[in-house]
Amino acid sequence: MNLKELAELLGLSQTTVSRALNGFPEVSEKTRERVQRAAKKNNYAPNTAARGLATGRAFMIGHVISTSNQNETVNPVFGDFVAGVGEIYSANGYKMMLSVVPPHEDEYQVYRDLNAQSIVDAVVVHSPCIDEGRIPFLSELGLPFIVHGRASECEIPYAWLDVNNRSAFLRATDFLHDLGHRRIALLNGLEHMDFAHRRREGYESSLVSHGLKVDNELISSHEMTESYGFERTSELLRSESPPTAILAASIVVAFGARRAVQAAGKVVGKDVSIVTHDDCLSYLRNNDPVPIFTATKSSVREAGRRLAAMLLQVIENPDMEPPQELLEVELTIGQSTGPAPVG
Amino acid sequence: MNLKELAELLGLSQTTVSRALNGFPEVSEKTRERVQRAAKKNNYAPNTAARGLATGRAFMIGHVISTSNQNETVNPVFGDFVAGVGEIYSANGYKMMLSVVPPHEDEYQVYRDLNAQSIVDAVVVHSPCIDEGRIPFLSELGLPFIVHGRASECEIPYAWLDVNNRSAFLRATDFLHDLGHRRIALLNGLEHMDFAHRRREGYESSLVSHGLKVDNELISSHEMTESYGFERTSELLRSESPPTAILAASIVVAFGARRAVQAAGKVVGKDVSIVTHDDCLSYLRNNDPVPIFTATKSSVREAGRRLAAMLLQVIENPDMEPPQELLEVELTIGQSTGPAPVG
DNA sequence: ACGATTTTTCAAAGCGCTTTGGTTAGCCCA
DNA sequence: TGGGCTAACCAAAGCGCTTTGAAAAATCGT
């Protein structure tokens, strides 16, 4: 069923039917209702391609995800983030397109094509690194976008939504310090990623403010996998002066750390404390009455919702100041931390 | 830059330029090259909406994901699966659309709209349950589709790609039996899901074939979260005749189970054996020389690649017999299993 | 060299919608 | 009763592409 057929069926012109369905004022309420009823009954929905061609808008947001990192790892956060944005998109009549950039292919070309084909109204930039080339590139291209995260070394203004990673890890380190810990290890994510960079800043800044010095032996940076958590923690525990506390980049890494602590015959929260960042993934809930892990919490799904809402604003109102929002984390105390062991 | 402008630039008609770019034979190689060069140079790419309108094809595959389960959990497998299909899609000029069905909304209406708006050429059905209503519905609707998994109680023919879950859990149970285990617990996924149903069949069938009887006390069914693994295992270990082995539905569940075993002061692989299914998620690798977990392995990313290829066949060739493919798992021995403790 | 083919190019229609710039119908007031 | 409004509707153009059916150009055989 297309517009023409529906119009004929109703004995109205295409114009009127179109206007009725799109909520224009110059159509009587009586006709509008009649049209809407007929549309629903005949399962009419406007052809997207035709509408897109006529309006120049695609009502589609692009998400470009690259798996071209060393291990082609998919960010475990992805599913929940997408669920968050998707909720807002569909509530506002937008659809979401996913482009997977195959390894060794040019991500920039993907954006160029998306733009030339005018298949999306805007894109979301994922996992920005410190000097993120995509930001100036997209600005130049004129394709509206918003960044999930930030790029420390980017000067031009752009829309973003980020978690306050610096403050999160600063507070977490402060907390461990307050418990008496003096050797605190950081199991960071890949440090060319902006979020990891900022977390390290927070961590170091806390140490310095307490008169401790930064010991590079205690710091590592890697993709956030379970085995990274395990291997690295095992290594740390074997060293001559092992840490009494560990700051993990994600719950998955913390799982690995915990496994290593237990494998070494030690007790988490007593011999070794663990604090982790928690994205509140739906299948890795850490919200028992007393959570497993002491954590800096920030729901990535909620972040997706906020970010989507901001992006829709940008689309509807292209000349606005780019919106920016910084989400603070919650520091929740769980079973994985305790006072530093004496001696 | 649109086709008309490019044609004028080249002093050719739109027809010729279009044909040149789309690989039609009735255009000389010389012209074709000239056109392609100009297109690349001017960053021309055909407008998707216009092309879609003209051809009636969208070159887009829809993935509808529902988060309307009790906890709005996102399947952790999703990211890797999408990475797999996305690879094949983009290699073949297809795009992927994601529709998130908000909780309490009608998933069927989403499919109806997708179809009416002719915004996708086909859809992928995720997480089928035993009697999956979406299969007859989509057949009826005439929207091409493929199912990731199967529906045991569905009679009509349809395209699917599935893992042999029955054989996987049968083999895993056999393996534990061979090690001397007689009380084997099953921490299954939600059993209205087809995959979980089949796994239980495999488990029970192995028990029966060894003359053991099925003890419902040892069987549970739940969303596959870490805390499920922990809580349920703790409960089992506290019971009067605890299991000596556990069959877990996923690595995340196995993590929880391991935590419970350790919390009970027991040793995994000695006091309690654990076998899990492993989807080979990129951030939960279980492929050390001797893997952490003994597991039935099947890469969900590779499954995505296969499934995408099959779906594209269906699209290009609508009248073909629906393709169906059953993937066998690998049973790999890791550190989490050992002979049943004596006494 | 000239009609018959084959190769290469083209003009124009059509895909299904939105939107511009009307026209017609209905109403009010003098 | 008729001129001036407003309210309600409509015909047709146009979005940028593909594709049909025809024309022009090049090639061929005799």
Side-chain angles (χ1 to χ4, degrees), chain B residues 167-188:
Chain B
S167 132
F169 274 53
L170 189 148
R171 288 179 62 200
T173 313
D174 279 354
F175 172 72
L176 287 168
H177 183 269
D178 291 351
L179 284 171
H181 295 277
R182 293 300 175 266
R183 288 190 64 72
I184 303 170
L186 174 64
L187 270 64
N188 208 357

Side-chain angles (χ1 to χ4, degrees), chain A residues 43 72 258-259 262 301, chain B residues 72 258-259 262 301:
Chain A
N43 231 329
E72 305 189 8
R258 185 178 62 196
R259 177 157 68 98
Q262 291 174 331
R301 187 186 289 214
Chain B
E72 305 190 9
R258 186 179 58 195
R259 177 158 67 97
Q262 291 174 333
R301 185 186 290 215

Side-chain angles (χ1 to χ4, degrees), chain B residues 175-288:
Chain B
F175 172 72
L176 287 168
H177 183 269
D178 291 351
L179 284 171
H181 295 277
R182 293 300 175 266
R183 288 190 64 72
I184 303 170
L186 174 64
L187 270 64
N188 208 357
L190 291 169
E191 288 185 347
H192 63 275
M193 296 279 122
D194 195 76
F195 77 94
H197 174 71
R198 289 194 135 91
R199 286 175 179 182
R200 179 167 183 161
E201 280 184 354
Y203 161 81
E204 292 191 353
S205 149
S206 166
L207 292 183
V208 169
S209 79
H210 293 111
L212 296 174
K213 73 168 190 288
V214 175
D215 182 352
N216 280 320
E217 299 290 308
L218 292 176
I219 302 177
S220 59
S221 165
H222 192 272
E223 277 201 321
M224 301 180 284
T225 62
E226 206 265 352
S227 30
Y228 164 48
F230 178 76
E231 300 295 344
R232 176 60 186 155
T233 304
S234 300
E235 189 183 327
L236 284 166
L237 295 180
R238 279 195 308 268
S239 69
E240 66 269 31
S241 71
T244 63
I246 287 172
L247 213 44
S250 77
I251 293 230
V252 170
V253 173
F255 276 151
R258 186 179 58 195
R259 177 158 67 97
V261 170
Q262 291 174 333
K266 312 217 163 175
V267 176
V268 171
K270 202 163 138 251
D271 303 314
V272 180
S273 287
I274 300 179
V275 178
T276 182
H277 183 73
D278 179 0
D279 295 299
C280 306
L281 301 190
S282 49
Y283 55 95
L284 286 178
R285 296 192 185 279
N286 179 35
N287 50 6
D288 300 345

Side-chain angles (χ1 to χ4, degrees), chain B residues 315-329:
Chain B
I315 294 175
E316 314 280 328
N317 186 356
D319 297 323
M320 78 189 285
E321 191 87 345
Q324 311 180 324
E325 190 167 329
L326 191 57
L327 304 172
E328 294 298 331
V329 305

